[in-house]
Amino acid sequence: MNYVIQNDKLTVTLSSLGAELISIKKGEKEYIWQNPTGEWAGHAPILFPVCGNCAMTVDGVSYPIPFHGVARKAQFALEKQSENSLTFALVSDAETEKVFPFEFIFRVIYTVNGETLTIQYAVENPAKKDLYFSCGSHEAYALDGAINEYEVEFEKEETLVNCVASEDRQLTGEKVALGNFKTFPLPKEYLRNDDTLIFKGIRSREVLLQKIGGAKIAKITFDGFENLLLWHAQDAKYICIEPWMNLPDTEGKENIEFSQKEGVMKVAPNTVKTLTRTITLF
């Protein structure tokens, strides 16, 4: 089911399926990819409790966690709604524990304030043992032109190194240095054939998507997320800007205990960990 929150600047449409952001409109302008030509049917999936191809081994037992985790195809319950805020919740059950052997309550809180949408991920541990999780986002921003007409401006100058992924979307160990950038032109040659640019351990906690030499589109903040991925389907007019906590597994290292993987956070019993992101539109 879809829900709408809004103020005098923004109208935001959200789905209970995956607690996914479906649309952000400022006036009549749509900022989220709507798949008008069929390249990719997603909008902004939420990745939980893993991002990408990340195996789940807990206490030496392997579990068949799906790619990108369990949240994006799960029905969330609507907990709270006001005109400008909404809270979805996903509670662990017997089905989730078959692939992710932890009890959890995963809340996603959306709030509009002026020209900014704030997204909070709140992970509660109701159990008597530690909970481990990772999460990430996958928003697709609609573009008016070709991908190489756009650039991403980082908060800080970054030494960008692409961590190469294989066809089964694991890291190969190969790394390609792209150079030092404060402003990074989106290069079509690195975003062809569904390839993903995977930047590990960036220093910036915000980026600005803008047209080269032209208008600003969106500023995205992602405190608590150290990795940033860029992706789009070939020739499609969108760019996915994806802050992730963990990265895909490196080939041959899949069976490391989940709790020991980089980007995995611990939640002690009866506590909550909250991560906050914002999207500001221009």
Side-chain angles (χ1 to χ4, degrees), residues 223-245:
D223 192 32
F225 300 82
E226 296 189 355
N227 309 300
L228 190 71
L229 288 76
L230 302 174
W231 175 79
H232 83 136
Q234 189 172 14
D235 297 326
K237 291 185 178 181
Y238 69 82
I239 181 67
C240 287
I241 298 177
E242 308 175 34
W244 287 14
M245 290 175 63

Side-chain angles (χ1 to χ4, degrees), residues 265-280:
M265 182 175 286
K266 181 174 78 171
V267 188
N270 300 309
T271 63
V272 180
K273 294 288 187 182
T274 301
L275 297 153
T276 301
R277 303 184 48 251
T278 65
I279 301 169
T280 300

